Amino acid sequence: MDRFSWSNGLLEIDETLVVQQRGVRLYDGDDKVKMELGVALLSTHRLIWRDIKNHVRSEQLCTIKQSHAKIVIHLHPSSPSKEPGPFQNSKYSYIKLSFKEHGQIEFYRRLTEEMTQKRWETTPCFFPPSMQGRKTRAVGIVGIERKIEEKRKETDKNISEAFEDLSKLMVKAKEMVELSRSIATKIKDKQGDITEDETIRFKSYLLSMGIANPVTRETHGSGTRYHMQLAKQLGDMLQAPLEERGGMMALTEVYCLVNRARGMELLSPEDLLNACKMLESMRLPLRLRVFDSGVMVVQLQSHSEEEMIASALDNVLEKGSLTAEEFAKLLGLSVLLSKERLLLAEKVGHLCRDDSVEGLRFYPNRF
Amino acid sequence: MSFEWPWQYHFPPFFTLQPNVDTRQKQLAAWCSLVLSYCRHHKLYTLDVMEAQESPVFNNKKMERKLSVEAIQVVFEELRKKGNLEWLDKNKTRCLVMWRQPEEWGKLMYQWVSKNGMVNSVFTLYELSNGDDTHGEEFHGLEEWMLLRSLQALQTDGKAEIITMDDGKGVKFF
């Protein structure tokens, strides 16, 4: 009886029903099995026994023998891959079908026919595992992986949905900027029609949105009064620090110094740059200077280039050779500025460079 | 007699190609004369660029400075412009170094020939460059390509003629 396995009782493709008979009881060997009278179905591939409560058992066919109203079927040993069935173990290797309502002759005939034909060998078909024994695969590692994957997809979808709104916002912002620009130009054209107050208020709105002052002209030489005032302020403020630092300060240092001093009403880098550009044209004692490497400094008008270079050369001669860092330490300057000074000296031919894995070093030009 | 290095050889910036144009010109001039005098001293007639990188000329091991490949190429280009160098291949891996021009070599050889009263005699090329008689002369050990060029220079001057013999080339001095 352990050759039987559960099934859903449905026939597979390629499997056809041969004969079926009601009122059949199963015997495990000689023992009566605790199974009530049911229906025995013979198909080309299997023997299926369905009881009146619709539990179904089936098994592959093998050898048979008839006796009285019973058919004895000798079974092959079950294969190791057999699906779970009603009986795990059985000491008999044959079962009996007892036909209480007759029909065994016909059944036997058909059974032998099928046995000779052995149609289950020629047209193999796949038997799915029975419903009862089936377990879902949603647990275990595979299930966890699947859940993680689903969660990731969910997050992806959420993010892309969220950014959809952002891109819409950006589109709207562009429209707003266009709008404000057009208004700004209109203001510029009709200068006299709007009062000072309103213009100022409008400008402040624009500024808060990050749009540069629309009335400014970017070309050098003509700035707004704001920048001119700022430049004057800078001229006063930076005199003392510049003298302390030997007459030259990098623009970044100026920015930090100025904003720290102001406390409130901080300057933007752009404003500072524009103000510095105007220093020279306003005949202030300071000026903005751009080196070849792109470094921008503010230096005193009185600051002499030749003096600087000559002193640099003296320092290098004294020490034999110098790197930018050593020079900076010597003079108390920032490394950036000291390097600029050395490069300037090289440009006029007073120094020459030694570039190796050890770093960049400057020597007096003995060539 | 061991080779005497110029003062620049011990000056670290010598091994960095100078960005300042004036300085660079002076630097390159010093390199050219160094290369030529080194080749003259060691009687080198050809140079291989890869080998040159490791040669003591371009690699001062004691000072741990060496000229980069790009800089070597610049030096060689400078030599080529001056006429002291010729590339043997398109990829610029090997070159001929002429620390003395062919005409000068020709003159030296002719001087030796006339000094020994051997005008109007015929010499094989081998005799000239590797013969016992020429041992001690400056042109002893001259490589064949340079020898030929120098003799061709003399030929153009009308002072010699290159003859093709059974087993090689020869020259007759007038």
Side-chain angles (χ1 to χ4, degrees):
Chain A
M1 264 315 278
D2 56 344
R3 315 287 194 265
F4 272 90
S5 54
W6 295 109
S7 97
N8 57 6
L10 298 171
L11 294 175
E12 298 304 307
I13 308 168
D14 291 335
E15 191 186 8
T16 45
L17 183 62
V18 176
V19 67
Q20 71 179 45
Q21 180 59 51
R22 277 187 355 211
V24 178
R25 169 183 269 135
L26 280 180
Y27 282 85
D28 180 16
D30 283 329
D31 297 339
K32 257 196 210 163
V33 170
K34 194 179 155 204
M35 290 183 193
E36 296 167 38
L37 293 174
V39 183
L41 295 105
L42 180 69
S43 78
T44 48
H45 291 72
R46 294 179 287 176
L47 173 66
I48 303 174
W49 191 84
R50 188 190 286 141
D51 75 357
I52 48 181
K53 285 196 201 114
N54 254 341
H55 294 156
V56 182
R57 300 147 186 55
S58 79
E59 48 110 330
Q60 303 279 56
L61 297 173
C62 47
T63 63
I64 46 157
K65 196 175 79 177
Q66 187 186 34
S67 92
H68 296 298
K70 297 195 184 74
I71 296 180
V72 178
I73 305 179
H74 292 270
L75 305 168
H76 290 304
S78 63
S79 62
S81 59
K82 190 177 86 68
E83 300 295 317
F87 292 91
Q88 292 305 108
N89 295 305
S90 150
K91 50 187 201 249
Y92 295 102
S93 63
Y94 62 96
I95 57 163
K96 291 193 210 171
L97 298 172
S98 170
F99 292 83
K100 298 295 182 204
E101 290 183 21
H102 303 288
Q104 68 270 22
I105 299 169
E106 180 65 20
F107 203 92
Y108 179 71
R109 191 173 72 78
R110 282 307 181 93
L111 197 57
T112 42
E113 229 177 71
E114 286 308 308
M115 295 299 289
T116 37
Q117 276 188 4
K118 289 196 195 235
R119 268 195 276 182
W120 66 86
E121 277 172 16
T122 47
T123 53
C125 63
F126 167 71
F127 295 104
S130 68
M131 293 321 250
Q132 231 158 315
R134 190 195 172 92
K135 277 185 172 190
T136 58
R137 293 244 181 100
V139 297
I141 303 242
V142 180
I144 294 176
E145 277 179 357
R146 209 173 288 161
K147 279 197 200 115
I148 292 177
E149 180 65 25
E150 274 174 26
K151 212 180 282 183
R152 192 191 64 77
K153 278 200 198 115
E154 199 51 47
T155 328
D156 243 348
K157 203 167 65 145
N158 282 343
I159 289 179
S160 43
E161 271 176 15
F163 276 115
E164 244 173 60
D165 297 339
L166 214 93
S167 50
K168 285 201 197 111
L169 177 67
M170 289 207 284
V171 167
K172 282 279 179 272
K174 202 160 127 191
E175 289 173 21
M176 290 307 296
V177 168
E178 283 307 310
L179 186 65
S180 57
R181 280 238 172 91
S182 63
I183 295 179
T185 35
K186 283 201 198 115
I187 289 181
K188 223 180 359 163
D189 296 337
K190 312 187 208 171
Q191 202 78 35
D193 288 17
I194 318 182
T195 67
E196 270 295 309
D197 269 348
E198 282 180 358
T199 327
I200 292 175
R201 234 192 301 155
F202 186 67
K203 276 191 216 165
S204 71
Y205 292 156
L206 289 178
L207 214 67
S208 65
M209 271 214 279
I211 302 172
N213 194 327
V215 188
T216 312
R217 245 162 251 146
E218 310 292 46
T219 60
H220 177 76
S222 67
T224 57
R225 261 181 283 147
Y226 172 62
H227 285 148
M228 285 197 255
Q229 295 286 49
L230 197 53
K232 252 189 245 164
Q233 232 179 34
L234 285 175
D236 295 329
M237 199 169 34
L238 293 174
Q239 279 278 71
L242 273 176
E243 265 158 37
E244 267 176 48
R245 287 166 176 70
M248 195 189 278
M249 261 170 82
L251 202 60
T252 44
E253 285 174 53
V254 172
Y255 177 76
C256 293
L257 216 71
V258 165
N259 274 336
R260 214 185 297 153
R262 282 170 79 111
M264 313 259 278
E265 307 278 335
L266 301 177
L267 284 178
S268 75
E270 214 174 82
D271 281 335
L272 180 66
L273 186 60
N274 287 334
C276 288
K277 282 188 188 152
M278 302 188 63
L279 284 170
E280 193 153 356
S281 55
M282 288 176 60
R283 306 204 194 290
L284 290 167
L286 316 175
R287 55 193 176 98
L288 179 72
R289 182 162 160 194
V290 184
F291 284 111
D292 298 330
S293 48
V295 172
M296 291 195 260
V297 296
V298 173
Q299 65 180 57
L300 282 174
Q301 201 86 309
S302 57
H303 170 105
S304 148
E305 206 53 50
E306 293 77 25
E307 256 180 56
M308 290 298 126
I309 293 173
S311 79
L313 180 59
D314 289 334
N315 282 322
V316 173
L317 277 170
E318 210 183 288
K319 300 278 176 186
S321 73
L322 280 180
T323 64
E325 289 84 16
E326 289 165 4
F327 193 46
K329 219 189 282 190
L330 208 64
L331 291 185
L333 278 182
S334 70
V335 178
L336 194 68
L337 287 183
S338 69
K339 188 162 178 192
E340 288 304 323
R341 203 168 281 188
L342 289 171
L343 285 174
L344 244 118
E346 185 194 35
K347 200 156 137 198
V348 290
H350 288 183
L351 297 179
C352 58
R353 67 164 66 185
D354 167 39
D355 208 348
S356 68
V357 288
E358 295 167 14
L360 183 59
R361 201 165 257 280
F362 288 91
Y363 286 79
N365 188 357
R366 287 166 57 193
F367 283 115
Chain B
M1 194 185 71
S2 77
F3 186 66
E4 268 185 42
W5 297 104
W7 68 265
Q8 290 99 337
Y9 190 67
H10 304 290
F11 188 46
F14 193 46
F15 292 85
T16 311
L17 200 58
Q18 295 297 321
N20 182 313
V21 177
D22 297 323
T23 322
R24 182 188 288 211
Q25 272 180 345
K26 294 195 204 136
Q27 182 192 24
L28 285 179
W31 269 114
C32 288
S33 72
L34 172 58
V35 171
L36 289 178
S37 54
Y38 185 81
C39 288
R40 172 182 284 132
H41 188 262
H42 293 275
K43 301 243 182 199
L44 295 174
Y45 298 100
T46 54
L47 280 182
D48 179 281
V49 176
M50 286 297 132
E51 281 170 19
Q53 267 193 297
E54 296 307 313
S55 113
V57 186
F58 297 112
N59 186 349
N60 185 338
K61 287 209 167 73
K62 204 171 88 166
M63 214 169 58
E64 286 183 357
R65 293 280 188 279
K66 64 201 261 195
L67 211 55
S68 69
V69 184
E70 295 85 24
I72 295 179
Q73 289 283 0
V74 173
V75 172
F76 280 3
E77 179 59 22
E78 196 63 28
L79 280 169
R80 189 194 67 82
K81 273 193 239 168
K82 287 196 187 155
N84 292 106
L85 189 136
E86 246 182 54
W87 287 111
L88 278 172
D89 64 331
K90 234 191 285 188
N91 295 332
K92 299 203 180 168
T93 52
R94 285 183 69 80
C95 57
L96 303 171
V97 181
M98 291 177 271
W99 37 271
R100 188 172 259 148
Q101 296 297 334
E103 293 79 14
E104 290 170 25
W105 284 120
K107 216 193 292 180
L108 275 177
M109 283 189 273
Y110 192 78
Q111 273 174 2
W112 174 81
V113 164
S114 54
K115 196 171 69 179
N116 290 330
M118 289 195 259
V119 183
N120 276 324
S121 37
V122 175
F123 295 89
T124 63
L125 293 189
Y126 185 77
E127 272 178 326
L128 274 179
S129 60
N130 295 81
D132 294 331
D133 295 335
T134 61
H135 205 87
E137 293 299 316
E138 271 194 59
F139 54 84
H140 185 88
L142 196 61
E143 285 183 10
E144 188 171 324
W145 63 269
M146 181 49 113
L147 186 57
L148 262 175
R149 282 199 205 186
S150 0
L151 292 175
Q152 273 159 0
L154 278 179
Q155 184 166 265
T156 343
D157 263 352
K159 293 223 170 88
E161 188 185 323
I162 301 175
I163 318 161
T164 325
M165 302 189 294
D166 296 328
D167 51 347
K169 287 198 164 66
V171 64
K172 181 171 177 185
F173 292 96
F174 298 123

